[in-house]
Amino acid sequence: MLNRRQILAALGTTALASLAPSMLFAAAPIKPDDSSALLVIDVQNCFLPGGSLAVKEGEQVVPVINRIAKAFSNVVMTQDWHTPGHVSFASVHSGKKPFETIDLPYGKQVLWPDHCVQGTDGASLSKDLSIPQAELIIRKGFHKDVDSYSAFLEADGKTTTGLAAYLNSRKIKRVFVAGLATDFCVAWTALDARKAGFEVYVVEDACRGIDNQGSLAKAWADMAKAGVKRIQSADIASA
Ligand code: VGL
Ligand code: ZN
């Protein structure tokens, strides 16, 4: 017969063994190295409070991004950069309202309020970003008839922005993605980065989503399936 102490001890071991290691030990912090780059996606006035396509809590990503950026020697930013009358604007499709979809030659397109028009204040990067070492700003969505959520490929799925070639020539292997919006430009960038062969981390608390008709949950599911790693800013070693 086991005595009470032995039973408790055995139960204790079982309970411990059923815990995932991550619940017992904090994972080692991730340390960005020279082959890592932070991609700061579309932190632009139009996506911030008061902007024409404001993302809920969008301003909250700015201090988080400023903090993690200190750990990166390579930072690339993107800027959504549309022509006036861009095909992604609901205003150019009669009878259509923002957040409805239409079929375009390259596939389904969500229609948006006019946003990030080239040269406007709304298209400017947030003045609160503080990342002086950022080395490249990629503009995207500048072809009037094609949208580009992704920083790598336009929505036709074939026109490149040149970013993969740039990162490869700089010998970057790992990209960390942050910014706006989680379920559109961040997710499409992360998915295309995987397709281009990079190791990809999305920093969840350094992003906010639009969440139009379940798009946020779908984006996380698609990213998980593609091998994108979902992390928090606290997982990155501070500089
Ligand atoms: C974005 C919708 C339209 C984004 C850009 O930055 O996620 N979303 N254009
Ligand atoms: Zn856009």
Side-chain angles (χ1 to χ4, degrees):
M1 274 294 271
L2 294 169
N3 66 29
R4 195 182 123 90
R5 237 187 90 236
Q6 285 167 320
I7 290 170
L8 279 177
L11 274 176
T13 317
T14 316
L16 261 184
S18 68
L19 289 174
S22 63
M23 301 168 89
L24 292 173
F25 310 105
I30 301 162
K31 207 168 166 35
D33 57 12
D34 284 347
S35 66
S36 307
L38 176 64
L39 308 182
V40 179
I41 305 300
D42 296 4
V43 184
Q44 294 167 265
N45 295 334
C46 274
F47 300 120
L48 295 169
S52 59
L53 181 42
V55 179
K56 190 165 173 255
E57 300 181 348
E59 77 286 2
Q60 293 184 20
V61 306
V62 176
V64 182
I65 291 172
N66 287 343
R67 190 174 72 242
I68 61 176
K70 295 188 202 304
F72 287 85
S73 54
N74 298 298
V75 181
V76 172
M77 311 217 236
T78 67
Q79 230 176 346
D80 213 34
W81 198 248
H82 298 310
T83 59
H86 190 260
V87 72
S88 73
F89 297 170
S91 60
V92 305
H93 302 276
S94 61
K96 289 288 179 183
K97 290 198 283 294
F99 307 103
E100 293 179 357
T101 57
I102 51 161
D103 290 309
L104 289 180
Y106 56 78
K108 251 197 194 353
Q109 172 72 49
V110 181
L111 297 175
W112 304 105
D114 289 24
H115 65 280
C116 298
V117 173
Q118 297 167 4
T120 62
D121 183 58
S124 296
L125 294 170
S126 166
K127 64 170 179 20
D128 298 322
L129 280 174
S130 177
I131 316 178
Q133 79 275 30
E135 60 201 34
L136 174 69
I137 298 173
I138 285 273
R139 288 173 169 172
K140 61 185 179 61
F142 51 77
H143 290 126
K144 191 171 187 174
D145 296 322
V146 187
D147 205 359
S148 188
Y149 297 143
S150 164
F152 290 90
L153 274 187
E154 298 192 6
D156 63 3
K158 49 180 191 255
T159 308
T160 86
T161 63
L163 181 57
Y166 171 81
L167 294 173
N168 284 327
S169 70
R170 298 282 333 284
K171 307 217 172 347
I172 302 295
K173 307 282 182 224
R174 306 197 282 180
V175 297
F176 293 72
V177 192
L180 305 170
T182 320
D183 38 349
F184 289 93
C185 292
V186 168
W188 287 51
T189 295
L191 292 169
D192 282 347
R194 286 294 298 145
K195 286 187 196 139
F198 298 97
E199 191 180 334
V200 182
Y201 299 81
V202 170
V203 189
E204 183 171 14
D205 58 325
C207 303
R208 288 294 185 280
I210 294 173
D211 204 11
N212 181 38
Q213 301 177 27
S215 55
L216 188 57
K218 183 180 184 309
W220 281 119
D222 290 347
M223 289 191 280
K225 210 163 112 196
V228 172
K229 293 172 184 139
R230 179 176 183 168
I231 63 168
Q232 307 302 316
S233 61
D235 298 331
I236 300 173
S238 45

